[in-house]
Amino acid sequence: MFFDCLIKLKATILTTFIIGCCYAAGLAQSPLDLRVEGVATEKPLKQFLIDLEERQPAKFFFLDEWLESYEITPSENNKTLQEALLSILGTEVKFRLLFDYAIIFYVDTDKTLRKYEAIENATLRKSEIEEIMIGRKPTRALSKEIIIKGVVKSETTNAPIGNALIQVDNTIQVTTDENGSYQLTLSPGESIISCSHTNYRSHTIILNAFEDGVLNVTLDEIPVVLQEVVITDNLILNKSIGLSSVKVADLKRSPTFLGEVDLIKSVQSQAGVTTAGEVAAGFNVRGGGVDQNLILYDGIPIFNTSHALGFFSAFNSSSIKNVAFYRGGIPAKYGGRVSSVLTIEGTEGNRAKWEANGSVGIISSELTIEGPLKKDTTLFSASFRSSYSDWILGLTKSKYNLSKSALSFYDGSLRLTHKPNQNTRLVFSGYTSYDQFTLINDTSYFMRNMAASLKIDKTLNPNLTSSLTMGVGQYSYVLKETDPSNAFDLTYDVTYPSLNFDFEYSRRHKFNVGVNTILYLFNPGTIEPKTSVSSIDPMTIQRKRSLESALYFSDEFSLNEKLSFEIGLRYSLCANLGSATVYQYAPNLPREIENIIDSTTFKKNQIIKLYHGPEPRISVTYGIGTNASFKFGYQRMYQYLHFISNTTAASPVDTWQSVDSYLKPQTGNQLSIGYFKNQKSIYELSVEAYYKRINNIHDFKDGSDLILNKNIETALLPGITNSYGIEFSVSKVKGRLTGSGNYTFSRSLLKVTSDDLAGSINDGKPYPSNYDQPHAVNINWQYGISRRIFFSGNFSYRTGRPISLPERIYVVDGVPVSDFPRRNNYRIPDYHRMDIALIVEGSHKLKKAWSGSWVFSFYNVYARKNAYTVFFNNDGTGRLQPYQLSVIGTVIPSVTYRFKF
Amino acid sequence: MKLIRTLPFFLLMGACLDRLDVSIINAEPQVVVDGMISNEPGPYVVNLSWSLNPDDSLESAAPVERAIVVISDDVGNAETLTENPVGSYKTRELQGVLGRKYKLSITTEDGVVYESTPAVLQPAGEITELYFEYKENVLNPSDPLLPQNALAIYVDGVGKVGNPNLFRWRWSGIFHITTYPWLRTTYINVNEKKVKIPFPEPCSGYIYDGGELTRVSDCTCCDCWITQKGSRVSLTNNAVSDLEFKRVQLHMIPIDKWFFDDKYYFEVEQISIQSEVYNFWKMISIQQESTGNIFQPNAGYVRGNMRCISDTNKKVHGIFSVSAITKKSFFIKRSDIPKPIPFHSFEVTDCADYFKNSAYQKPTFW
C-alpha cells in the first residue's frame, strides 16, 4: 500500500514538472519566501496551500493523509511560508523546493519502511498486533520529544518481566529492568513498538503517541517447563559495552552435566570468560582472577558460587528470574571487584495462582513452589534443591575405601514480595547454600553461604524511584579432622552486613545516584584441637574488620538518534579498622617475620588504614545505520578484598582477606572498544577488543604458608596484571537452527618485582597468570526437530592453562630436589569438550494441569580426558612426576525429568 | 599441612590419573653444591655435581671435576680442599668453631667463580626428648599388603636464647637382619632326575663337596646392619615458637617384619642453619609435603645460598651449610611394639641382597 502511494505521488510530480517548467523562468521570488497573510481563523493547512496555489505561481505536492491533521492559525501571519511550514509540520513531514516554484512534501521514507518492516515481521512471527493512541493528534507539530513509560508483565502470573526487549520501528532497543519497567523517548507520531522475551509470545503495538504517557504491555507465556539461564547479547543498542543480559529462557534446551542446569557454566561460555580447570569453581573474566567477579544475589555479594568444588553451580536456576553479566561498561552503582559483575535476581512468584515445578535428576532433585499469599499484594516463592549422592559413593566399588567418603549439598531460597500500594514494594529475600564432603583420610569440609536482604522500592513520582536495601551475608567453612591423634576444627568466616540506598530519576536523562556501604567482619582462621590427645595447638588469627563505602552517580542519555552515553562516577573508600596489632618491618629488608622491628596496637574501630579513590565509568554507543553500532567503554574499579590462594585448583581452604596496612586495594583500569552488527535480525556479529591493567594483585611468595598465617603480608607479593584480548562473536537468533559461537584471543601477564631477590617472581619478568589461556572457542547450537523435540549441543576449546614444571633435578645431603626455575613455565594440554542433548517436551497447551519434559544429556561425548588439576607424585626415588587428574574421564550420560503443575 | 590425599568422589565420573604428557625437558646442566662445615671434627666434604634432567636417574649425576674449592673464615683461616674421589672435595685440617663466619668459594675448571653467603656458625641448642608412639592404620591405606601400622618418632628440642634458632632435624636408623646362606640349595640332574643338593654361599663359611656340608670359616654375610636415612625435611616452625619445639614428628617407621627382627637404632641430629639455608630446606619440604595432593601449593624456585660471582646470570644450585650439630639416639626393641609382629621369612642368601645400604660390620654401639 505504501509503495502504491509513492508511485502515485511520483507520477503526479513528473507530469506537473513538465507543465510547470514552462513558466518557471518568469518567477522572481521563491515561494518559500512568500509572507503568510490573511489567515483570520484556524484553517486546514491543505486548504490554505490549495488556495495559495491559485493566488501565487507555486505548486505544492503532497499526499492528503500527510497533511490532513495540520492546521494553520493566525499566529503564522507575517512569517515566511518556510517559517510557517516548519513550525506547523515539525520534523514529521518535511518539504523541499524544486525548480524555484514546486514545493514537494515528503515523510522520512527510511522510517516508514522500518515501520512497515516491523509490522511485516510481527505478522510473520504471529505476534499479536494492537493499535494504541496516546493523546490527540495535534493540529500542528510538537517540537519536543515525548516519553513513554510502562511495565511489561506476564499474562499468566501478572509478574513483571525483566529483561524483555522493546524495539521501536525495528531499531531502538531497550530492555526492561528488574521491575519490568522501561522508558522510551520517541518523536511524536506513529511508532511500531514490539515487545519480546524468550519465554513469551511477542507483542506488537502500533502506537500513535502525541504526549507523554504510559504503555503497559502484557505478554503470553509460552508453556515451556524447562528452566535454564541463557545469556544473550542485545548487541546493537545496549547502552553499555561488555554487557550481556542473561535470560532465564527458552534455550534451556542445552546439554547438562548430570542433569544439573548451570548458571555459572552459561557465564563460562561467554566470549572473554574462561575457567581454570574442567569443573573449576568460579570463572575468569578477561584475564582476571576468580575473586574479581562481584556476584550479587538480590543485592548481596556471594562468595562461593559452586557446589562440590565446582561441579555444580550453587544457584538453582528455577529460583532465578533475571541475570545480568557485565564484563565491561560496569555501571557506577556496582563496585568492589575489578573484573566483572554478575547480578542474580530471585524469582518473585506467580501472581495469579499457586504452582510448583521441579526436577528429578541422578545427583539431586529440586522443587520450587510459588504463588500469591494475597492476590496482587503478597507473593511467595521458595525453592529447594538437595543432593542424594552419598549412597552412590557407598555403592561405588573401587580400590579406595569409599565408605568413609561422603558428598552432599543443598541450596534453598525464599522470597516474599509485598506491595501495600501502587507505589511501594517490599521484598524479603533469603538464600543459603551448603556443601559437605568427607574424604578418605578423615578430613571433612563444610562450607556455607548465607544471604538475606530486605528491599524497599518506592515510586516517589512517575519519574523518580528510590530503593533501600538492607542485607547481611556470610561465607564460612569448617575443616574437620577426626583422627584422634591430630583431631581439629579449622574455621574461617566472613560476615558482611550492608546498606544500599539508590535513587533513579528518568526522563530524557536517566540519573542514578546512591550510596552503599558494607562492613566486613573477618575471622581469618581458628584452629582448635578436638580430642585430649590431639597434637594440634589451638590458635586464632586476629580478627579483621573493614568498612567499605561508596557514593555514586551516573547519567544515561542519548545525544541524538545515533549517539548515546552512560557516564558515571563512583567514589569508594575502605577503612581497615581495629582492634589489631600491626607489625613494622625493617626498611630495605625482605618482609619476613625475622625482620619485624616494632608493632602498633589499634583500639576497636580505630582506623588503621584508609584507602579511597574515584572510579570513573563511561560507555559510548554510536549507531551506524540501523543495524550496526560502534561502542567504547572505560572503567576503573577498586577491589578492597584479596583472595588468598597458592594452589593450582581452587581449594576449599582458600581465604578472603581485607585490605590492611600492607595489602593495598586492587585497582583495575579497562579500555574496551567494539563493533556490533545485526544482519537482517537473523545474525548478530560482534568484535570487541580490550586492554586491562590491574595493580596490587597479590601472588604468593614461593614456599609461603597461607593457612593460619599470622603475618599474611610476609607470604604475599604485590604485582601488576596486564591483560588484553580480542573477542569475536556470531550468533544466529532465528530459525529452526539457532546458536552462537565465539573465539577469543587474549593474554594475561603478571609481573611481580621487588628490590630484594627473594621478593621478585621469575626475576621480575612478566609471566603468564594462572588463567592465561590465549585461545578460546565456544560453540553452541539448538535444532528444533519438531515443536517439542530439540537436539542441542555445545563445544568448547581453550588453550591449556600455565603450570610450573621442574626443569632439573639434583641431590643435596641425600635429599632429591626439583628445580622449578620459573613460575608457569609450561602449559597443561589444551582443553576441549563436546556435550549433546535431546529434549522431549510435553504438550505446549496453555491450560494443562501437569506438564513435564525429559532431558537426555551426554556430557563429554567423545570422552576426552581433560585435566582438572595437575599435581606431582613422588616416584619412590624422590623425583617429582607430574600427573594430571581428569575428574571426568568418560562420557557422562544423564536423564532428568522436569515438571510443572 | 597435608589436606587431601585423594578425592574418591571423582571416581564416579570415570576419573583417572595419567602421567602428564609434556614435551621432553632438556635443560642445560648447572652446578650443584652440597657442602657443610660444622662444629664436629672434620674432614668436611663439599660435593660438586651437574644437575640432571627430571627423568634421569638420581645416581647418574656427573661430578664437577678439577675445581678449586676453598673454605675461609672471618679470622683469616682458609683451606683449599682436596678432590678425592672426583667431584668430592675434603678438608684436612680445618675445624669449625662456634661464632666464626665461614664462606665457600669455588672456581671451576672453566674459570667460573661461585661463592656462598658468609654465615656464622650458630649453636644447635639441645634435643630434650626423643620418643615414639605406636599408630595403627596410618600407612598405605590403599594397599593392604603393605604395612599399615607404624611407630611415629617425635623429637622435642630447645634453642638458645638470643640466637635465631633455625634448626633442621636429620635422622638415620639402623636395623639388623640375619640370613642363613649356608642353607642355600640348588638342583642338579642325576640320571635324568632333578636332585636337590646344598649350595652354600661362599661367604657363609660353609662348603659342600658332595658329602656333608662343612663349616670352614666364620660367616661374613649372615648378619647385616642396614642404614636408613630420612629424606623428608623436618624444620623448626619459628612462626609458632622460636625457642622451644615440641612434638616434631620426624618419621613413621613401618611395622615391618624385617625392621624389628632384632631392634631398631634411631639417631637424630639437630642442626643449626642460617635463614637462607632454612628457606632452601623449607622450599624442599613444601615440595615434599605437597606431593600427591590435588590441592598442592604451586611449587616454587628452590634458592640456595650460593651465587655465581663471575656471571650474575648464571644459576647455581644447592647450599653450603654452616652448622652446629647436636645428637640424640635410642634403640627400639621388638618388645616395645604393643602388638605381635611375625618374623621375616627364612632367607638363604647373602644378607646384603635384601636392602640397599647394607653393611656386614656390626656398629660399635650395637
Side-chain angles (χ1 to χ4, degrees):
Chain A
M1 182 195 82
F2 171 70
F3 293 101
D4 295 347
C5 295
L6 281 183
I7 293 162
K8 212 162 71 189
L9 177 67
K10 217 166 158 185
T12 323
I13 290 170
L14 275 173
T15 45
T16 320
F17 278 170
I18 299 161
I19 307 159
C21 286
C22 305
Y23 62 98
L27 235 68
Q29 193 186 17
S30 155
L32 284 176
D33 296 334
L34 291 171
R35 295 266 155 202
V36 175
E37 286 167 351
V39 181
T41 56
E42 286 170 2
K43 184 180 182 182
L45 179 64
K46 183 182 143 190
Q47 194 55 49
F48 170 79
L49 295 176
I50 293 169
D51 292 351
L52 195 63
E53 258 184 354
E54 286 172 9
R55 286 185 283 119
Q56 297 287 347
K59 282 281 168 195
F60 300 98
F61 301 95
F62 52 84
L63 282 183
D64 285 358
E65 64 242 47
W66 293 347
L67 299 189
E68 67 186 355
S69 69
Y70 296 101
E71 289 179 344
I72 188 161
T73 59
S75 63
E76 307 299 336
N77 282 332
N78 293 326
K79 287 187 185 168
T80 63
L81 181 61
Q82 178 159 13
E83 287 163 352
L85 286 176
L86 278 173
S87 86
I88 297 166
L89 299 172
T91 56
E92 189 75 355
V93 181
K94 295 174 179 166
F95 56 91
R96 181 178 287 178
L97 180 70
L98 272 180
F99 309 118
D100 287 340
Y101 78 94
I103 294 167
I104 317 283
F105 291 85
Y106 64 98
V107 293
D108 183 343
T109 47
D110 269 1
K111 198 174 163 186
T112 317
L113 275 171
R114 284 202 300 274
K115 282 181 189 167
Y116 280 88
E117 203 180 308
I119 294 176
E120 208 177 342
N121 272 342
T123 319
L124 278 176
R125 287 199 310 264
K126 295 177 183 159
S127 160
E128 213 174 298
I129 303 177
E130 192 183 1
E131 275 191 61
I132 287 175
M133 180 91 151
I134 294 177
R136 259 190 63 231
K137 188 161 186 178
T139 53
R140 54 189 300 123
L142 299 166
S143 57
K144 59 173 190 156
E145 290 181 311
I146 55 166
I147 290 169
I148 301 294
K149 290 179 175 184
V151 176
V152 179
K153 288 183 174 183
S154 157
E155 168 81 39
T156 35
T157 66
N158 207 20
I161 302 169
N163 263 315
L165 181 69
I166 314 257
Q167 283 183 295
V168 180
D169 298 340
N170 242 9
T171 55
I172 306 176
Q173 295 181 358
V174 295
T175 49
T176 54
D177 65 14
E178 56 190 42
N179 303 318
S181 306
Y182 72 93
Q183 176 175 320
L184 294 167
T185 306
L186 303 174
S187 306
E190 188 187 74
S191 313
I192 311 294
I193 313 274
S194 103
C195 178
S196 58
H197 187 283
T198 352
N199 276 350
Y200 298 86
R201 290 210 168 88
S202 60
H203 189 111
T204 303
I205 294 157
I206 302 170
L207 176 71
N208 274 287
F210 302 98
E211 57 188 49
D212 293 356
V214 175
L215 178 69
N216 292 328
V217 185
T218 50
L219 299 182
D220 268 356
E221 201 177 342
I222 300 170
V224 172
V225 287
L226 298 170
Q227 283 286 323
E228 192 190 335
V229 177
V230 171
I231 304 169
T232 56
D233 274 307
N234 289 325
L235 295 173
I236 305 304
L237 268 158
N238 259 337
K239 290 283 190 293
S240 329
I241 186 163
L243 164 68
S244 304
S245 23
V246 182
K247 297 175 183 174
V248 181
D250 135 293
L251 265 198
K252 12 174 131 152
R253 292 155 177 156
S254 60
T256 60
F257 171 65
L258 291 169
E260 300 294 318
V261 168
D262 197 326
L263 165 68
I264 301 299
K265 285 203 176 71
S266 303
V267 173
Q268 286 168 354
S269 70
Q270 297 288 291
V273 184
T274 57
T275 168
E278 167 77 65
V279 286
F283 49 92
N284 303 98
V285 179
R286 290 181 168 173
V290 289
D291 61 314
Q292 293 170 351
N293 309 312
L294 177 66
I295 294 149
L296 294 172
Y297 186 88
D298 279 340
I300 308 297
I302 300 293
F303 283 75
N304 178 26
T305 58
S306 60
H307 283 309
L309 296 169
F311 276 90
F312 311 109
S313 154
F315 304 104
N316 177 356
S317 61
S318 298
S319 65
I320 299 172
K321 182 176 150 201
N322 283 323
V323 179
F325 175 59
Y326 302 86
R327 61 188 191 280
I330 297 176
K333 72 197 285 186
Y334 300 120
R337 302 286 190 283
V338 293
S339 278
S340 78
V341 175
L342 180 71
T343 63
I344 301 164
E345 193 199 347
T347 174
E348 194 163 70
N350 192 316
R351 294 187 174 213
K353 56 166 188 160
W354 283 89
E355 68 170 25
N357 64 66
S359 72
V360 181
I362 61 169
I363 288 283
S364 72
S365 282
E366 47 142 314
L367 183 68
T368 302
I369 296 170
E370 52 183 43
L373 285 175
K374 192 175 166 197
K375 199 162 189 303
D376 289 328
T377 311
T378 312
L379 303 173
F380 171 86
S381 163
S383 181
F384 187 75
R385 173 172 63 159
S386 173
S387 68
Y388 35 76
S389 48
D390 271 10
W391 64 271
I392 300 178
L393 285 174
L395 291 179
T396 309
K397 283 186 183 148
S398 111
K399 65 175 179 175
Y400 297 96
N401 174 14
L402 291 183
S403 55
K404 273 188 177 175
S405 302
L407 178 127
S408 62
F409 62 82
Y410 67 75
D411 55 60
S413 63
L414 174 76
R415 202 173 149 106
L416 275 172
T417 309
H418 179 62
K419 223 172 167 180
N421 58 51
Q422 200 57 38
N423 295 325
T424 311
R425 188 176 74 139
L426 276 83
V427 181
F428 169 78
S429 163
Y431 167 79
T432 184
S433 82
Y434 174 82
D435 263 86
Q436 180 198 342
F437 47 97
T438 303
L439 302 166
I440 197 160
N441 54 347
D442 301 322
T443 312
S444 304
Y445 298 80
F446 303 84
M447 281 176 283
R448 188 189 291 279
N449 277 322
M450 281 197 284
S453 65
L454 180 67
K455 189 176 178 205
I456 305 164
D457 292 334
K458 243 182 143 44
T459 306
L460 302 169
N461 68 45
N463 299 318
L464 183 64
T465 56
S466 74
S467 174
L468 172 72
T469 312
M470 292 164 284
V472 64
Q474 188 184 53
Y475 168 63
S476 60
Y477 70 71
V478 181
L479 178 70
K480 281 181 187 286
E481 174 65 49
T482 50
D483 173 12
S485 64
N486 59 344
F488 65 84
D489 273 12
L490 169 68
T491 55
Y492 168 89
D493 63 77
V494 50
T495 308
Y496 41 100
S498 65
L499 187 69
N500 196 9
F501 207 13
D502 184 88
F503 284 96
E504 203 167 280
Y505 176 82
S506 46
R507 277 192 70 79
R508 295 193 58 179
H509 285 251
K510 189 171 168 185
F511 295 114
N512 185 205
V513 57
V515 57
N516 57 40
T517 186
I518 185 161
L519 175 69
Y520 288 104
L521 304 161
F522 292 92
N523 163 20
T526 302
I527 192 162
E528 287 175 2
K530 291 317 265 189
T531 56
S532 54
V533 294
S534 173
S535 61
I536 301 292
D537 293 327
M539 179 157 105
T540 299
I541 307 286
Q542 72 179 6
R543 286 171 182 270
K544 277 187 173 181
R545 53 169 64 203
S546 59
L547 183 72
E548 188 180 323
S549 296
L551 185 68
Y552 58 85
F553 169 82
S554 71
D555 180 10
E556 200 180 317
F557 61 98
S558 298
L559 210 59
N560 53 45
E561 269 195 5
K562 290 187 164 180
L563 198 56
S564 56
F565 291 87
E566 185 175 343
I567 293 173
L569 180 70
R570 180 181 176 92
Y571 200 94
S572 63
L573 59 88
C574 184
N576 178 217
L577 303 171
S579 51
T581 303
V582 177
Y583 297 96
Q584 274 89 50
Y585 297 85
N588 309 322
L589 284 176
R591 199 180 287 156
E592 301 283 356
I593 291 169
E594 56 264 32
N595 296 330
I596 291 176
I597 49 169
D598 199 2
S599 68
T600 315
T601 304
F602 291 85
K603 291 193 194 101
K604 194 172 184 185
N605 293 333
Q606 193 180 351
I607 294 178
I608 300 168
K609 187 82 187 174
L610 180 71
Y611 294 101
H612 56 96
E615 303 179 32
R617 316 277 170 87
I618 179 164
S619 280
V620 183
T621 303
Y622 181 77
I624 305 161
T626 55
N627 287 320
S629 70
F630 177 78
K631 296 183 199 179
F632 165 82
Y634 165 73
Q635 66 189 40
R636 181 188 294 165
M637 312 275 286
Y638 275 72
Q639 177 165 338
Y640 298 102
L641 292 179
H642 291 278
F643 186 60
I644 309 295
S645 170
N646 62 354
T647 56
T648 45
S651 144
V653 290
D654 293 337
T655 62
W656 294 77
Q657 299 274 350
S658 156
V659 288
D660 60 19
S661 306
Y662 297 103
L663 301 186
K664 292 180 179 151
Q666 302 181 45
T667 50
N669 284 284
Q670 179 178 281
L671 265 176
S672 44
I673 188 165
Y675 177 76
F676 303 80
K677 186 157 175 62
N678 184 324
Q679 195 75 36
K680 295 178 180 166
S681 298
I682 297 174
Y683 297 100
E684 287 174 348
L685 306 143
S686 76
V687 185
E688 212 171 320
Y690 67 90
Y691 170 73
K692 182 159 81 175
R693 184 183 167 97
I694 305 170
N695 291 320
N696 292 321
I697 69 106
H698 283 79
D699 212 348
F700 60 94
K701 263 187 204 175
D702 279 340
S704 51
D705 258 336
L706 300 182
I707 299 170
L708 291 173
N709 188 332
K710 285 179 178 170
N711 302 77
I712 195 76
E713 61 271 12
T714 61
L716 301 168
L717 295 165
I720 295 167
T721 306
N722 278 303
S723 308
Y724 54 87
I726 183 159
E727 302 157 357
F728 301 87
S729 301
V730 58
S731 47
K732 182 172 182 283
V733 293
K734 279 185 192 162
R736 246 185 154 174
L737 176 71
T738 55
S740 64
N742 59 60
Y743 164 75
T744 304
F745 170 78
S746 64
R747 294 304 311 268
S748 167
L749 302 169
L750 195 54
K751 190 173 166 182
V752 177
T753 49
S754 163
D755 294 337
D756 77 276
L757 201 57
S760 296
I761 297 174
N762 287 8
D763 298 328
K765 294 186 185 108
Y767 60 97
S769 71
N770 281 344
Y771 17 85
D772 176 53
Q773 294 167 294
H775 302 283
V777 175
N778 292 295
I779 298 167
N780 66 68
W781 68 89
Q782 184 205 317
Y783 180 73
I785 297 169
S786 76
R787 281 174 66 86
R788 299 198 293 120
I789 302 173
F790 299 88
F791 169 69
S792 66
N794 55 261
F795 169 78
S796 51
Y797 166 87
R798 294 188 292 273
T799 311
R801 117 185 109 68
I803 183 190
S804 310
L805 287 184
E807 289 186 358
R808 297 176 185 83
I809 50 166
Y810 53 88
V811 179
V812 172
D813 198 13
V815 180
V817 186
S818 293
D819 173 35
F820 289 82
R822 283 169 298 129
R823 196 169 289 184
N824 290 344
N825 54 348
Y826 287 83
R827 285 181 184 277
I828 66 171
D830 292 352
Y831 178 97
H832 51 92
R833 190 193 83 228
M834 190 195 277
D835 316 322
I836 54 170
L838 188 74
I839 295 97
V840 181
E841 294 180 353
S843 158
H844 286 183
K845 275 183 198 157
L846 265 178
K847 312 278 179 211
K848 259 183 71 175
W850 176 281
S851 50
S853 70
W854 290 94
V855 183
F856 303 92
S857 221
F858 297 88
Y859 188 90
N860 194 21
V861 72
Y862 55 84
R864 160 99 177 156
K865 291 177 185 176
N866 285 305
Y868 170 74
T869 186
V870 169
F871 64 101
F872 296 94
N873 257 340
N874 188 326
D875 71 347
T877 68
R879 290 180 305 185
L880 297 186
Q881 303 288 354
Y883 281 84
Q884 72 167 48
L885 173 70
S886 315
V887 288
I888 297 169
T890 182
V891 53
I892 309 278
S894 65
V895 180
T896 305
Y897 181 69
R898 298 199 176 116
F899 56 88
K900 186 173 179 179
F901 58 88
Chain B
M1 193 184 301
K2 190 155 183 166
L3 294 170
I4 295 177
R5 287 192 200 106
T6 180
L7 271 183
F9 164 68
F10 296 152
L11 295 168
L12 280 181
M13 257 65 72
C16 47
L17 204 56
D18 298 298
R19 178 81 200 271
L20 181 70
D21 184 24
V22 281
S23 52
I24 290 171
I25 296 166
N26 207 350
E28 183 202 354
Q30 292 168 344
V31 170
V32 178
V33 180
D34 176 10
M36 181 192 261
I37 183 167
S38 71
N39 60 341
E40 302 237 298
Y44 309 118
V45 182
V46 175
N47 289 313
L48 300 183
S49 60
W50 293 102
S51 65
L52 297 158
N53 282 324
D55 286 330
D56 291 346
S57 156
L58 285 164
E59 280 87 40
S60 63
V64 175
E65 295 176 51
R66 293 180 287 281
I68 300 163
V69 180
V70 179
I71 298 177
S72 54
D73 66 14
D74 56 349
V75 291
N77 301 314
E79 185 180 328
T80 303
L81 282 67
T82 333
E83 187 180 6
N84 179 31
V86 285
S88 187
Y89 299 82
K90 293 185 178 68
T91 57
R92 275 162 291 135
E93 292 157 6
L94 193 69
Q95 172 60 53
V97 177
L98 278 179
R100 282 196 191 160
K101 203 179 237 187
Y102 292 93
K103 185 178 91 173
L104 174 73
S105 308
I106 298 162
T107 309
T108 55
E109 214 179 357
D110 51 0
V112 183
V113 183
Y114 303 96
E115 271 184 18
S116 70
T117 313
V120 178
L121 209 162
Q122 278 152 342
E126 248 184 276
I127 297 172
T128 48
E129 203 79 52
L130 179 64
Y131 51 104
F132 62 85
E133 281 169 16
Y134 179 72
K135 304 261 176 188
E136 283 191 334
N137 300 318
V138 283
L139 298 177
N140 308 308
S142 53
D143 193 346
L145 295 176
L146 292 174
Q148 308 285 305
N149 307 333
L151 288 183
I153 312 279
Y154 299 94
V155 66
D156 290 352
V158 63
K160 272 207 162 162
V161 180
N163 284 293
N165 297 326
L166 298 167
F167 301 130
R168 172 183 167 223
W169 288 282
R170 182 167 70 177
W171 67 266
S172 59
I174 299 175
F175 62 94
H176 170 223
I177 63 169
T178 305
T179 58
Y180 310 92
W182 67 90
L183 296 177
R184 191 172 66 162
T185 54
T186 190
Y187 287 93
I188 55 164
N189 285 323
V190 179
N191 300 330
E192 293 180 2
K193 267 192 178 173
K194 273 194 170 173
V195 175
K196 190 157 109 177
I197 57 155
F199 183 55
E201 291 256 19
C203 60
S204 68
Y206 282 82
I207 54 165
Y208 177 69
D209 54 9
E212 287 207 340
L213 197 59
T214 316
R215 183 166 190 247
V216 292
S217 63
D218 285 348
C219 176
T220 55
C221 63
C222 295
D223 289 284
C224 281
W225 283 265
I226 295 108
T227 304
Q228 295 187 311
K229 281 193 186 246
S231 60
R232 190 152 281 269
V233 177
S234 301
L235 294 170
T236 50
N237 184 351
N238 296 65
V240 175
S241 162
D242 56 4
L243 190 64
E244 282 189 59
F245 311 99
K246 293 273 188 201
R247 235 183 128 73
V248 180
Q249 188 179 311
L250 296 176
H251 183 47
M252 293 268 232
I253 308 173
I255 306 295
D256 185 283
K257 54 193 183 217
W258 288 97
F259 296 172
F260 297 96
D261 203 13
D262 180 3
K263 56 189 176 184
Y264 193 100
Y265 172 80
F266 193 91
E267 181 187 89
V268 63
E269 295 168 296
Q270 182 167 306
I271 304 168
S272 68
I273 46 179
Q274 298 73 46
S275 66
E276 266 183 318
V277 177
Y278 180 88
N279 289 335
F280 171 84
W281 289 116
K282 180 88 205 250
M283 289 304 304
I284 297 168
S285 96
I286 286 164
Q287 270 186 15
Q288 293 179 339
E289 279 179 30
S290 60
T291 54
N293 179 352
I294 69 158
F295 295 121
Q296 68 186 210
N298 255 307
Y301 178 55
V302 180
R303 195 185 298 276
N305 65 344
M306 299 296 303
R307 305 280 175 270
C308 183
I309 304 299
S310 52
D311 179 358
T312 49
N313 289 322
K314 223 176 179 77
K315 289 259 163 86
V316 53
H317 303 280
I319 48 166
F320 175 64
S321 188
V322 179
S323 303
I325 300 176
T326 175
K327 296 178 185 178
K328 205 174 183 85
S329 61
F330 61 14
F331 280 104
I332 303 163
K333 296 192 283 297
R334 188 179 172 84
S335 57
D336 290 334
I337 297 160
K339 289 212 171 162
I341 39 170
F343 286 97
H344 70 76
S345 49
F346 191 79
E347 300 296 342
V348 291
T349 57
D350 184 341
C351 64
D353 291 350
Y354 300 92
F355 291 94
K356 272 202 288 185
N357 301 324
S358 291
Y360 301 119
Q361 187 66 45
K362 181 156 113 178
T364 50
F365 52 81
W366 200 263

